[in-house]
Amino acid sequence: MTKLARFLPILDWGRRYDRTTFSNDAVAAVIVTIMLVPQSLAYALLAGLPPEAGIYASIAPIVLYAIFGTSQALAVGPVAVVSLMTATAVGQVAEQGTAGYAAAALTLAFLSGAFLLALGALRLGWLANFLSHPVIAGFITASGVLIATSQLKHILGVQAGGHNLIEMVGSLIAHLGQVNAPTLVIGAGATAFLFWVRKGLKPLLLRAGLPPLAADILSKAGPVAAVAVTAAITALLDLGAAGVAIVGQVPQGLPPLTMPDFAPDLVAQLALPAVLISIIGFVESISVAQTLAAKRRQRIDPDQELIGLGAANLGAAFTGGYPVTGGFARSVVNFDAGAQTPAAGAFTAGGLLMASLFLTPLIHDLPKATLAATIIVAVLGLVDLSILRRTWRYSRADFAAVAATIALTLLAGVETGVASGVALSVALHLYKTARPHVAEVGLVPGTQHFRNVRRHKVETAPNLLTLRVDESLYFVNARFLEDMVLSRVGEGGAVSDVVLMMSAVNEIDFSALETLEELNRRLRDMGVRLHLSEVKGPVMDRLRRSHFLDELTGKVFLSQWDAWRELARPAQGGARAAR
């Protein structure tokens, strides 16, 4: 049972499920369902799909994640960034509003799910570590700006377009003369109302004497109120005839069983976007899940999360949805509302199923401007331009990566932005490790500790050069270490022994081993012995399987203090030189 529960976490938390947990999960599900109904409709609009696709993408995927996922609070479904990426990817292979467009979205969900499942089965969740947080934050910030800008056409009631910020703004300006006044009033009013609800409604309700739980539920119901009021006004005044774009007929019933299009050409065109969507979705999801789990001292299994998200996307592919992932806003709401297990997500799916069965006729006259307002208010919370200031202060390299990701996403589009984000994350890692921090160290007087000669008053010996290597050695950075050692020895003086202090080295790959062998030979030709100190067990095991230790001109010391006692000779006159 324990082994099976590893792959089916529901068997673990399900055994401990009780009435109190059910009550907490049910309350959380009510709050999240109220939030998700308008949000799901809006994100489907952003993805270029019919509004019901957002509801469908929030039912089966949530249930499947509840079975396979490990987070107790993560809420899975359509999210803004993935919806934008879906629109960008599918828009390149099919025209919006056609059956081919919807089929391509299903294929994208299937490919994304299959890729995530493959990563999970191979236990490759660690690959997400190659995406640096600053780069992801920059991409999400730029995507938030793009999403908000793309929705202004619905607020204004114009037919603007574009794939990047310049094209969108230019198109909006060109169509300003065609603004539909009723649409603008509804869109601007809904936006202002939702911004106020987000910050001001709950404190107002609390001051009025409502219990915190009731105030929280009512504040989360703000988007539902906006949907209900604007739909009623549009129907009563027949604003559809005045040019206000409305949602129109929405199918009523259960999510349909659908089949993705597996045409080879289509699969080939969507393969890379599916990979990028999977990576971004997984990184966003696992970040949220781990943050929330840490608050309750719970554990998230990244590899099992890949399987949970993969299953959710496969569920979306076969039930009329599109790619999904864990959403930040709804997960935080789920957590704050008291969700104790993934069953809260399953209950939310049940609420959305009821909405699909009974409420869809009520949104026939819902203005698209209201959905656009919902999107704008939601995504502007993702925009964090302070990341530029913070990375500038902390690391110029991180700042350059963030700034480049934001600029490329805004100016070249979301696919270029996310691809550049992945490339920049890897490049940033290579840049930082290609020039490892190597410090010349000396003895702190009166101790057995060794510190950087540039930062501390330490004792050194003229014949002994000790360098502390602060990175693992591999093909990218080993040559840098070799050049540094030879340059330092070549500066002159009476250096007869070089000690590489390896306490921070966790790995030496074969290329680095060959470099160390070459360094040993060149130092030997110069009459200088090479020693190692404080080598970790796994690294020493590897070295013993090579000829390096047999050819080493010096010794391997257990500690740097042992090397110092045996090798250091006093400076001329009897005193050791201080650096």
Side-chain angles (χ1 to χ4, degrees), residues 71-101:
S71 173
Q72 307 298 303
L74 189 70
V76 172
V79 300
V81 173
V82 170
S83 296
L84 176 64
M85 295 177 71
T86 297
T88 302
V90 178
Q92 295 176 356
V93 299
E95 186 177 346
Q96 213 173 99
T98 63
Y101 189 96

Side-chain angles (χ1 to χ4, degrees), residues 415-434:
E415 277 197 358
T416 301
V418 68
S420 66
V422 173
L424 285 169
S425 293
V426 175
L428 191 59
H429 170 73
L430 293 176
Y431 171 78
K432 289 178 177 179
T433 58

Side-chain angles (χ1 to χ4, degrees), residues 175-520:
H175 288 84
L176 282 179
Q178 303 168 14
V179 170
N180 181 273
T183 300
L184 178 58
V185 170
I186 290 175
T191 304
F193 172 74
L194 291 174
F195 271 119
W196 174 75
V197 164
R198 191 168 190 153
K199 298 292 185 182
L201 181 57
K202 186 174 180 178
L204 180 66
L205 294 173
L206 291 174
R207 286 197 298 270
L210 263 70
L213 180 59
D216 194 45
I217 292 176
L218 288 175
S219 62
K220 297 297 187 298
V224 176
V227 166
V229 171
T230 55
I233 290 174
T234 303
L236 288 172
L237 301 180
D238 194 20
L239 295 181
V244 174
I246 59 175
V247 168
Q249 188 67 39
V250 177
Q252 185 178 6
L254 297 172
L257 292 177
T258 52
M259 179 61 67
D261 184 349
F262 295 114
D265 289 347
L266 180 64
V267 171
Q269 287 177 291
L270 293 179
L272 180 59
V275 169
L276 296 177
I277 286 173
S278 300
I279 292 173
I280 291 297
F282 174 63
V283 171
E284 181 179 356
S285 179
I286 199 70
S287 299
V288 175
Q290 288 177 334
T291 299
L292 297 179
K295 293 182 179 181
R296 292 180 179 169
R297 298 188 178 183
Q298 295 168 343
R299 180 180 173 274
I300 297 299
D301 181 350
D303 295 314
Q304 187 61 35
E305 284 297 289
L306 284 166
I307 292 174
L309 292 173
N313 276 280
L314 290 182
F318 291 104
T319 57
Y322 66 98
V324 297
T325 192
F328 175 76
R330 70 177 67 117
S331 296
V332 171
V333 169
N334 199 34
F335 180 87
D336 290 342
Q340 298 295 309
T341 72
F347 298 153
T348 299
L352 291 169
L353 185 62
M354 293 299 102
S356 177
L357 285 170
F358 303 113
L359 299 182
T360 50
L362 301 179
I363 62 173
H364 179 277
D365 293 304
L366 174 62
K368 291 185 178 180
T370 303
L371 296 180
T374 302
I375 293 173
I376 290 172
V377 173
V379 301
L380 287 182
L382 302 175
V383 176
D384 179 21
L385 294 176
S386 69
I387 190 70
L388 291 169
R389 182 185 70 255
R390 288 184 282 125
T391 52
W392 174 261
R393 289 179 177 175
Y394 187 76
S395 167
R396 296 295 193 270
D398 283 323
F399 169 81
V402 172
T405 301
I406 291 176
L408 286 169
T409 303
L410 292 177
L411 301 179
V414 64
E415 277 197 358
T416 301
V418 68
S420 66
V422 173
L424 285 169
S425 293
V426 175
L428 191 59
H429 170 73
L430 293 176
Y431 171 78
K432 289 178 177 179
T433 58
R435 298 177 60 85
H437 183 261
V438 179
E440 182 176 347
V441 298
L443 177 66
V444 178
T447 74
Q448 297 180 13
H449 300 292
F450 292 81
R451 293 292 184 269
N452 192 330
V453 299
R454 297 182 180 276
R455 295 177 178 271
H456 302 273
K457 292 182 179 181
V458 295
E459 295 179 0
T460 61
N463 72 299
L464 181 62
L465 171 65
T466 297
L467 298 175
R468 189 188 69 225
V469 185
D470 291 337
E471 294 276 358
S472 291
L473 296 175
Y474 69 120
F475 66 95
V476 172
N477 62 16
R479 186 70 66 183
F480 175 84
L481 175 64
E482 179 187 13
D483 293 341
M484 182 177 185
V485 172
L486 294 175
S487 174
R488 178 66 180 81
V489 172
E491 289 176 359
V495 174
S496 61
D497 295 273
V498 173
V499 180
L500 296 181
M501 188 174 173
M502 311 284 277
S503 53
V505 176
N506 298 316
E507 177 75 21
I508 298 176
D509 75 357
F510 190 75
S511 295
L513 175 65
E514 290 185 325
T515 301
L516 289 177
E517 291 173 342
E518 178 63 21
L519 176 62
N520 182 58

